[in-house]
Amino acid sequence: MSLINERQDFSDIADTFLLHGSMQSPAFLDGRLCASLALHDLSAEGWLEIVCQNLGVEQPRDEPSAERLLGWRRQTVEALSASEMNYEPLLPDDLFSLAERAEGLKDWTLGFLEVIEDAGDAPRKQWSEPLREAVDDLKGLTNIETDLDDDPENENDLFALTEHARMAAMMLYTEQHPGQPQVEKVDDPESYTKH
């Protein structure tokens, strides 16, 4: 089975980065990917070019690596456009320390905001007030304390901050892609009954 259709997680992408000689966190590029899909409908070719540039290579080293990187883009597009609104930033999971997870969220936010800033003020003028506020609030995440002890209070705080980033990302995508996802659509219960 092709890796392009498999679910990619943070460790999968980090391992692919290591294969290319890069120790950088995928979180920064995931933030860039999310904002680029929302603002520019970033193509698969454009995405591979960005990743390779960041990894300092001309192209993915092999077909499985290319499939994994393209699968990362595919699953992000699908999650952002799904009616379930189940997009999740690609961040270190519970196997990582709280400090590493906080650093991942900070990196993701830096990547996301970089694309927004590069786009200039034109797209921002079309945004709703809640979206502008959500994006402005993200700027505070670029200064979060990442040297956190693993305790429940810090865990809850990090969860809330991650949820804010996730919601801001989905708001940006849905405002830039009206009708996608169709969250207002209500299924007709009569269509399920057999006559």
Side-chain angles (χ1 to χ4, degrees):
M1 183 175 152
S2 170
L3 289 171
I4 201 166
N5 294 316
E6 285 184 18
R7 174 97 186 116
Q8 310 299 325
D9 65 19
F10 182 86
S11 296
D12 293 331
I13 302 301
D15 289 347
T16 302
F17 280 21
L18 278 175
L19 281 175
H20 291 82
S22 174
M23 298 278 295
Q24 67 179 299
S25 165
F28 176 79
L29 277 182
D30 190 66
R32 286 193 59 86
L33 171 63
C34 179
S36 295
L37 288 169
L39 293 173
H40 310 300
D41 290 322
L42 179 66
S43 70
E45 297 78 20
W47 172 239
L48 272 185
E49 193 176 307
I50 288 171
V51 175
C52 289
Q53 194 173 38
N54 275 271
L55 295 176
V57 296
E58 286 188 31
Q59 62 187 31
R61 64 176 282 166
D62 52 31
E63 193 172 330
S65 294
E67 288 179 357
R68 197 171 288 289
L69 296 171
L70 289 171
W72 176 14
R73 179 192 170 277
R74 180 200 47 77
Q75 81 184 21
T76 303
V77 171
E78 288 176 1
L80 285 169
S81 61
S83 57
E84 297 83 20
M85 310 253 328
N86 60 355
Y87 168 74
E88 294 285 337
L90 190 76
L91 299 171
D93 59 24
D94 294 345
L95 298 174
F96 292 83
S97 72
L98 208 56
E100 290 169 314
R101 287 156 50 202
E103 189 64 45
L105 178 59
K106 184 177 183 175
D107 289 345
W108 183 93
T109 305
L110 287 166
F112 185 81
L113 290 175
E114 189 175 274
V115 171
I116 288 174
E117 286 164 18
D118 287 350
D121 287 336
R124 189 179 177 90
K125 289 177 182 168
Q126 309 302 314
W127 296 351
S128 68
E129 189 58 34
L131 175 56
R132 279 197 290 272
E133 287 175 13
V135 170
D136 288 343
D137 289 346
L138 283 181
K139 292 175 184 164
L141 293 184
T142 64
N143 298 317
I144 63 168
E145 178 60 50
T146 58
D147 189 17
L148 301 174
D149 293 327
D150 285 307
D151 69 47
E153 187 176 334
N154 285 340
E155 179 102 28
N156 289 339
D157 289 347
L158 185 61
F159 176 81
L161 294 172
T162 302
E163 186 64 11
H164 181 79
R166 185 178 88 79
M167 293 306 295
M170 287 192 303
M171 285 172 68
L172 178 64
Y173 189 85
T174 55
E175 283 198 19
Q176 296 296 129
H177 297 83
Q180 250 189 318
Q182 293 183 350
V183 289
E184 295 85 23
K185 184 177 174 187
V186 177
D187 289 332
D188 178 5
E190 290 183 17
S191 66
Y192 297 110
T193 58
K194 291 185 178 176
H195 297 287

